[in-house]
Amino acid sequence: MEVVTGVLTGLVFKLGKLLVGEYNLQKGVKGEIMFLQPELQSMQGALKEISKAPSDELDHQDRIWASEVRELSYDIEDSIDMFVVRCEGGQQLLAAPDGMRGFIDRSLDLLTRFRVRRQVAMDIRDIKRRVIEARERREAYKIDGVGGARPDVVDPRLLAHYTAVTELVGIDDARDELIKVLTDDGSQEASKQHGRVVSIVGCGGLGKTTLANVVYQKIRTQFDCWAFVSVSQTPDMRRLFEGILSELGKDINEETRDVRHFIDAIGKFLQTKRYCIVIDDIWDISVWKMIRCALPDNMGGYVIITTTRNFKVAEEIGGAYSMKALCHESSRKLFYTRIFGNEEKYKCPDEHLTEVSHRILNKCAGVPLAIITIASLLANKARDKMEWLEVYNSIGTGLEDSTDVENMRKILAYSYYDLKYHLRVCLLYLSMFPEDYPITKNHLIWMWIAEGFVQCEQGKSLFELGECYFNELINTSMIQPVYDRHEAMIEHCRVHDMVLEVIRSLSNEDNFVTILNNEHSTSSQSKMFRRLSLQNSVVHLASPFPSTSMLQVRSVITFSSALDQMPALASFRVLRVLNLKGSYLPQGCDLKHLGNLFHLRYLGLGRTYTNELPEEIGNLRYLQTLDVVGSYIGSLPSTVVQLRHLMCLCVDQNTRVPNGIGRLTALEELSTLYTCDESTDIPEELCHLTELRVLELFFWNNTLEKSLVACLCKLRKIQSLVIWASGGEYNFDAWVAPRHVQRLQLQSCWFSRLPDWMNPSPLGLSFLWINVRELRQEDLETLGRLPALRHLYLKLDHEKLKIPRRFIVGACSFPCLVECRLLGFMGAVFFHQGAMIKLRNLSLTLYARDVREIMASSDGVQGVIIYFRSGGANEMEVEKAKAAVVASTTETIYEWTLNCIQQQKKWMMMWCKEIHIDELGKRFNMNGIQTRGSKRNSYVFPLLIRCK
């Protein structure tokens, strides 16, 4: 139903534009539009009420009416869009020639516009008739928006309170870790002098309530009083506070009290007592703030444990504890225990089922709810491999009916129905993507915008709003973030298989997405397609479905290696998103008809082996995103500069852009712009693109240095700037970065010293690649205060540094840094305890004598990776440094020489096989990381010290 709500919001806005626009509508048509506006607003209000309840709780007549309004809304929007495109000359965007030919063209255009206005008048009258019929039908059948009284259903989350401790698997480590957080020294006795607040956060089904209950049962007897209460999505605060008082053992004498009296009563009762309280399943921070008013900060000591699915709520509460998924061993134990009981000590008694069990567990990804749900299905089946494979294949494509599966769906659906309407539509769009598919964040947001899911708000661009939607979905644990290789920025997202199963089911109910593959289709052929997802290796799209089925399609995304019998592009009358990325187009698919897709907003042709774009692409006046990265297109046609609504242009260094790109003043994202031709005045063109947020440049011409820097100074909305430069070094002292910059990667661009705009620190800067001629200790401290910095590449000009200098990385500096490369340093770098607490990768360039000094001062360093470069230091110095490393490490396994082809220099690498990070972490204040090799339990500490 939220799909309809979102469409109607846009429809009311578009109808208003028709009234004020210069479309010369007939007087009677304007009156009918004025009639439609309040009617549609009333429908929208009714649908909002309906969408508050899950579809299975709605009356049958409600669902029929909502479905009718959904199709009606789509048809109205399509009619309006087609009318606007035709009236604005969508079919004749190129300037008409002069002379008799031009006169004839203009006369035909006027005639066409007259016919279009007459057609839209007929369409509006037909729409009015259908709207009136829908209203009368609603009144005739007395549709009230919600179903009648339904029997109370048991909340499946209650089962977590009554699960026997002996049945819990994989909870011990998390329980002990959380108890350690709640106590002073990791003992089982809670603090008697201080209060502790911990918020357990994670997605639905991860076991937050179970963990909170286990800890609660373990420590509650150490307190004077205790309580465990659950918060619903729409809590009755009076009943909630009554529940707290009842759990605390406090009698409630008065029958009628307001919330304020309950808060006062609870606070007074707890003021002199040590208490332990669990508040389970908080959805909104305002609810927590009201509860917190009743829980005093007394001197006796207290423990408050909360659970939530929202990371933002957890951070507001404080003491956020991120719930981890089960490891494979615990997942296996839980799975087999549920199916076979305690047989064979958690082993599968049937060897032929072991392989399929492993595949099922991989699907469940360590989520206890998913494991228990699938295991419950299998427990009632024969121990037959084919039956188990059938269940495995059903995961993500429609699980069979059972109480356990229904409970799982309900738990996940709680999060879905708690979302705002616009977020629900955005989440449903993710059902277009296959299981375990890494969805590129930026491309997803541009598709949302193309579909019209992101509505304008004053003061923010559409992409910034879409990014807010994306972050909200992450905060509610509905999607999982995937960082780039530097772990500096979120680059992709994934959808857990179980969440995908739920949103696919909801999407199918609303005819939102149709998935076509070799095995099945999620929609019947009789339905009108709205969005198509092609997910098999070879798609025979034209044969089973007539071209008329494609007339109303709004999005087509392919995940196929080949498309066979692709329908003519003219079949897609209202197509907004066409993403063929990674698909080999058949010979019959002629892209010259792209120019007829007047409604197209998003075009993705990356890795399609296409070598040319037609000139007619200039007809796509509403195109917002054009992505041809990885294609064989040598140059974009000159008509691209006519795309005045284009906001995102993605090319690579193999594709040249035409002159006149400065006319694309709506551009917000441009990558990768390549220039090596002195006659091309790229800087002057870029000066006009003042809306740019993301810019990636590759240039091979140092004569452009001054003009490029002057141009970049005018681009004050830049958030991400990547420059790849060759042919020399470029002075960037004159450039000042915007305060909201998030990513800077300036290869071959040098600053004389750390620029002044670094202090005060840019709060959002998470990735920094910077080259400076000279660095002072206070400059390093300035960098250490960057609150969001996760990746740092800092290179000094060692030729300018005549005197070796020591640097100190102070405690509490670089709080979020994950990866660090410090190159060109002449002198030792010392790390105080508490610095770079999240660091995983560190690379340094040091002198051999400094290596000896560092190793001599460290206590029990247990592993380090060191590159020794021949040259600079004499052989004796290098050997002494190597000896110092060997003496300070527990076990040196490998030693070999690496050839550096570019510099023609040799390096020697010493690698400790296994690193235990306790002592090394104390010295260098870093965490170990697991290797990506076969030994999953081995840890490598990637400290790279290049010795001159």
Side-chain angles (χ1 to χ4, degrees):
M1 255 57 79
E2 49 282 342
V3 178
V4 196
T5 307
V7 173
L8 283 174
T9 301
L11 269 184
V12 175
F13 175 74
K14 288 183 178 181
L15 284 171
K17 286 185 67 176
L18 282 183
L19 289 174
V20 299
E22 299 178 358
Y23 298 109
N24 295 324
L25 293 175
Q26 299 173 11
K27 188 175 181 180
V29 175
K30 287 188 176 183
E32 285 163 353
I33 290 177
M34 294 176 69
F35 166 81
L36 285 176
Q37 276 187 305
E39 284 292 321
L40 293 177
Q41 287 173 336
S42 298
M43 286 183 176
Q44 184 181 18
L47 285 167
K48 281 186 176 181
E49 290 300 315
I50 290 177
S51 63
K52 291 179 180 179
S55 58
D56 60 346
E57 295 182 15
L58 294 176
D59 183 81
H60 181 63
Q61 290 294 341
D62 279 344
R63 291 201 297 270
I64 292 176
W65 179 77
S67 177
E68 181 184 2
V69 173
R70 179 189 66 226
E71 298 303 319
L72 176 60
S73 302
Y74 279 133
D75 291 344
I76 296 174
E77 187 171 35
D78 290 344
S79 296
I80 293 174
D81 286 347
M82 285 189 290
F83 166 69
V84 170
V85 167
R86 290 173 182 172
C87 275
E88 294 182 356
Q91 293 172 316
Q92 299 185 19
L93 294 179
L94 300 179
D98 296 328
M100 181 58 68
R101 178 62 184 171
F103 173 75
I104 294 173
D105 287 346
R106 286 189 290 272
S107 299
L108 290 174
D109 182 52
L110 288 173
L111 181 60
T112 301
R113 288 171 183 256
F114 174 75
R115 289 175 178 172
V116 168
R117 291 189 186 98
R118 187 171 63 180
Q119 180 62 47
V120 80
M122 295 172 61
D123 290 345
I124 292 292
R125 291 189 185 98
D126 182 59
I127 289 168
K128 178 181 178 181
R129 176 185 58 79
R130 292 172 63 186
V131 168
I132 292 173
E133 288 177 357
R135 181 185 62 186
E136 291 175 348
R137 193 173 295 113
R138 177 179 173 81
E139 293 172 352
Y141 292 104
K142 298 181 180 179
I143 300 171
D144 297 322
V146 291
R150 295 173 58 86
D152 291 337
V153 294
V154 178
D155 187 339
R157 293 170 294 180
L158 290 176
L159 299 175
H161 292 278
Y162 305 105
T163 303
V165 177
T166 55
E167 296 180 24
L168 300 176
V169 175
I171 202 76
D172 295 350
D173 291 342
R175 177 201 62 198
D176 295 342
E177 184 179 0
L178 196 56
I179 289 176
K180 188 175 182 180
V181 171
L182 293 170
T183 58
D184 290 323
D185 55 2
S187 64
Q188 296 296 308
E189 187 173 347
S191 171
K192 294 184 178 180
Q193 296 182 349
H194 306 289
R196 293 283 192 274
V197 179
V198 170
S199 183
I200 306 172
V201 59
C203 64
L206 207 51
K208 301 182 296 296
T209 300
T210 302
L211 175 60
N213 190 46
V214 169
V215 173
Y216 171 73
Q217 298 293 341
K218 187 80 173 177
I219 68 173
R220 67 177 184 174
T221 55
Q222 303 171 25
F223 295 86
D224 300 329
C225 53
W226 51 84
F228 191 123
V229 293
S230 294
V231 182
S232 64
Q233 287 177 268
T234 54
D236 181 333
M237 297 306 296
R238 187 179 187 280
R239 291 185 62 182
L240 179 66
F241 286 127
E242 278 183 352
I244 293 176
L245 279 174
S246 176
E247 288 268 321
L248 291 172
K250 172 73 172 174
D251 293 333
I252 305 173
N253 297 322
E254 300 178 25
E255 293 185 2
T256 56
R257 281 185 174 181
D258 59 24
V259 171
R260 185 172 60 84
H261 284 108
F262 279 112
I263 292 175
D264 293 342
I266 294 171
K268 185 177 180 180
F269 180 75
L270 296 177
Q271 189 62 51
T272 58
K273 295 181 174 62
R274 298 184 69 242
Y275 63 87
C276 172
I277 291 183
V278 177
I279 311 295
D280 183 40
D281 210 22
I282 297 177
W283 291 81
D284 189 86
I285 193 62
S286 61
V287 174
W288 160 250
K289 288 180 178 179
M290 188 171 291
I291 295 172
R292 193 66 178 91
C293 291
L295 306 178
D297 290 312
N298 59 35
M299 298 301 295
Y302 61 86
V303 162
I304 301 173
I305 303 172
T306 68
T307 71
T308 180
R309 304 185 192 191
N310 193 312
F311 283 90
K312 190 175 288 187
V313 170
E315 289 173 355
E316 287 270 358
I317 293 173
Y321 176 86
S322 186
M323 189 78 182
K324 301 177 182 67
L326 294 178
C327 67
H328 182 76
E329 181 65 19
S330 296
S331 298
R332 187 179 58 81
K333 287 181 179 179
L334 180 61
F335 186 69
Y336 290 146
T337 301
R338 177 65 184 87
I339 299 174
F340 306 117
N342 291 323
E343 299 178 21
E344 304 292 329
K345 296 182 178 179
Y346 308 122
K347 293 182 179 179
C348 182
D350 298 311
E351 291 185 5
H352 64 284
L353 297 177
T354 303
E355 180 187 355
V356 66
S357 298
H358 180 74
R359 293 165 67 181
I360 290 173
L361 288 175
N362 284 339
K363 283 271 191 178
C364 294
V367 177
L369 177 65
I371 296 170
I372 293 171
T373 299
I374 304 303
S376 299
L377 285 178
L378 296 174
N380 298 319
K381 291 185 175 293
R383 297 180 183 180
D384 179 75
K385 184 175 181 179
M386 296 309 297
E387 285 200 46
W388 282 39
L389 279 172
E390 186 178 344
V391 171
Y392 167 78
N393 291 327
S394 71
I395 300 175
T397 58
L399 294 167
E400 58 187 275
D401 294 330
S402 80
T403 304
D404 295 292
V405 173
E406 191 58 33
N407 284 341
M408 182 196 72
R409 284 175 175 162
K410 284 181 179 179
I411 289 176
L412 294 177
Y414 288 153
S415 292
Y416 174 80
Y417 284 104
D418 184 64
L419 296 174
K420 298 173 184 176
Y421 305 111
H422 60 274
L423 292 181
R424 295 188 204 174
V425 181
C426 291
L427 183 62
L428 284 186
Y429 197 75
L430 297 181
S431 62
M432 294 278 284
F433 297 86
E435 297 172 28
D436 303 319
Y437 187 84
I439 305 167
T440 305
K441 169 190 168 182
N442 284 13
H443 291 173
L444 175 64
I445 293 173
W446 287 122
M447 289 182 201
W448 285 345
I449 292 171
E451 277 272 6
F453 300 154
V454 183
Q455 300 295 326
C456 294
E457 281 187 18
Q458 192 172 6
K460 284 188 177 181
S461 70
L462 287 174
F463 187 89
E464 289 171 334
L465 273 175
E467 197 168 29
C468 291
Y469 294 179
F470 184 89
N471 293 336
E472 284 187 70
L473 289 176
I474 289 178
N475 288 335
T476 54
S477 305
M478 297 304 290
I479 60 177
Q480 303 164 347
V482 179
Y483 284 87
D484 60 14
R485 63 188 181 91
H486 302 294
E487 299 196 27
M489 305 183 78
I490 297 175
E491 197 168 66
H492 299 86
C493 72
R494 293 182 189 271
V495 184
H496 189 278
D497 287 351
M498 299 301 162
V499 176
L500 185 61
E501 155 66 15
V502 171
I503 63 175
R504 278 186 176 174
S505 175
L506 294 167
S507 175
N508 191 43
E509 287 178 13
D510 284 345
N511 191 27
F512 188 73
V513 170
T514 301
I515 299 173
L516 301 180
N517 57 34
N518 288 329
E519 297 176 1
H520 70 287
S521 164
T522 59
S523 180
S524 66
Q525 297 186 23
S526 60
K527 284 187 177 180
M528 182 68 74
F529 295 159
R530 298 295 180 183
R531 294 168 187 87
L532 282 178
S533 177
L534 315 179
Q535 298 186 4
N536 55 314
S537 58
V538 179
V539 178
H540 301 275
L541 189 57
S543 53
F545 300 103
S547 59
T548 53
S549 302
M550 307 298 162
L551 291 177
Q552 308 300 322
V553 172
R554 294 172 169 231
S555 283
V556 174
I557 305 181
T558 64
F559 304 94
S560 312
S561 58
L563 297 177
D564 188 22
Q565 301 179 14
M566 178 78 177
L569 293 177
S571 302
F572 301 109
R573 189 175 59 177
V574 293
L575 194 65
R576 298 182 177 197
V577 175
L578 178 61
N579 190 0
L580 306 177
K581 191 170 186 177
S583 300
Y584 184 78
L585 301 182
Q587 259 185 332
C589 184
D590 195 344
L591 293 181
K592 73 178 182 181
H593 297 297
L594 273 175
N596 295 326
L597 302 178
F598 302 122
H599 300 271
L600 200 63
R601 267 80 167 170
Y602 184 103
L603 178 59
L605 296 174
R607 302 198 310 273
T608 54
Y609 306 99
T610 304
N611 55 21
E612 187 178 8
L613 275 179
E615 291 285 333
E616 289 79 8
I617 195 172
N619 290 349
L620 306 181
R621 66 179 304 164
Y622 295 108
L623 193 66
Q624 298 168 334
T625 300
L626 176 59
D627 178 12
V628 295
V629 174
S631 67
Y632 292 165
I633 299 173
S635 61
L636 298 179
S638 59
T639 53
V640 164
V641 300
Q642 298 175 9
L643 305 175
R644 302 303 174 83
H645 286 86
L646 196 66
M647 293 188 283
C648 174
L649 176 59
C650 297
V651 297
D652 55 31
Q653 63 269 26
N654 299 317
T655 304
R656 302 293 181 267
V657 298
N659 291 331
I661 195 172
R663 301 178 198 171
L664 304 178
T665 53
L667 268 183
E668 297 182 20
E669 182 175 340
L670 176 59
S671 63
T672 302
L673 186 61
Y674 179 86
T675 175
C676 63
D677 187 355
E678 295 185 18
S679 64
T680 303
D681 199 355
I682 290 296
E684 185 177 345
E685 299 273 9
L686 287 176
C687 285
H688 301 288
L689 307 181
T690 55
E691 297 297 317
L692 278 177
R693 293 178 302 96
V694 178
L695 176 62
E696 185 168 348
L697 295 172
F698 186 94
F699 62 96
W700 198 298
N701 187 348
N702 57 9
T703 63
L704 298 177
E705 175 187 305
K706 291 183 178 179
S707 58
L708 178 65
V709 172
C711 162
L712 293 176
C713 287
K714 297 180 180 179
L715 306 181
R716 304 313 299 165
K717 293 187 178 182
I718 286 290
Q719 295 178 7
S720 174
L721 177 63
V722 178
I723 296 180
W724 302 97
S726 297
E729 296 179 351
Y730 303 81
N731 189 320
F732 261 59
D733 284 338
W735 182 64
V736 178
R739 297 296 306 159
H740 47 263
V741 68
Q742 298 174 10
R743 180 189 184 97
L744 284 179
Q745 188 170 344
L746 307 176
Q747 187 261 347
S748 295
C749 303
W750 285 84
F751 295 89
S752 299
R753 53 187 294 275
L754 193 70
D756 292 336
W757 47 261
M758 279 288 184
N759 194 7
S761 305
L763 298 180
L765 187 60
S766 61
F767 185 106
L768 177 61
W769 178 324
I770 189 170
N771 308 310
V772 296
R773 302 291 184 191
E774 185 178 357
L775 189 76
R776 301 167 300 179
Q777 174 63 36
E778 53 264 38
D779 295 333
L780 191 62
E781 293 170 1
T782 296
L783 291 173
R785 289 193 290 269
L786 291 170
L789 190 64
R790 294 175 64 88
H791 178 95
L792 174 64
Y793 181 107
L794 175 60
K795 184 177 181 179
L796 307 185
D797 186 354
H798 64 274
E799 294 181 359
K800 299 289 184 182
L801 299 175
K802 303 301 182 183
I803 303 174
R805 181 176 296 166
R806 296 185 180 186
F807 291 93
I808 296 175
V809 181
C812 302
S813 60
F814 299 99
C816 293
L817 201 64
V818 174
E819 184 171 353
C820 179
R821 298 185 68 186
L822 306 176
L823 306 180
F825 282 69
M826 291 185 63
V829 180
F830 292 94
F831 299 82
H832 284 179
Q833 187 169 354
M836 299 184 179
I837 56 174
K838 295 184 179 180
L839 195 66
R840 296 184 182 178
N841 299 295
L842 174 63
S843 175
L844 294 170
T845 302
L846 299 174
Y847 278 97
R849 60 176 178 271
D850 296 322
V851 175
R852 299 202 316 273
E853 186 174 349
I854 289 177
M855 293 300 152
S857 65
S858 62
D859 298 325
V861 176
Q862 296 184 350
V864 66
I865 300 174
I866 298 181
Y867 290 103
F868 290 93
R869 188 181 73 185
S870 59
N874 59 44
E875 187 175 346
M876 183 177 295
E877 284 288 322
V878 172
E879 290 301 323
K880 287 181 179 179
K882 287 167 58 177
V885 173
V886 172
S888 299
T889 55
T890 56
E891 186 179 13
T892 301
I893 304 299
Y894 299 111
E895 181 176 334
W896 68 87
T897 300
L898 302 176
N899 290 320
C900 184
I901 298 175
Q902 292 182 347
Q903 300 181 13
Q904 295 297 317
K905 297 172 182 176
K906 291 186 176 181
W907 303 68
M908 188 171 291
M909 180 176 182
M910 302 176 63
W911 182 20
C912 290
K913 178 181 178 182
E914 186 168 348
I915 307 281
H916 299 283
I917 65 171
D918 296 340
E919 294 301 322
L920 187 63
K922 290 177 182 177
R923 179 67 188 94
F924 292 103
N925 302 293
M926 295 181 286
N927 297 318
I929 61 169
Q930 282 194 336
T931 62
R932 297 184 180 179
S934 57
K935 288 196 67 177
R936 295 189 175 183
N937 295 326
S938 296
Y939 284 81
V940 166
F941 211 103
L943 175 63
L944 308 178
I945 304 182
R946 294 173 183 168
C947 300
K948 298 183 179 221

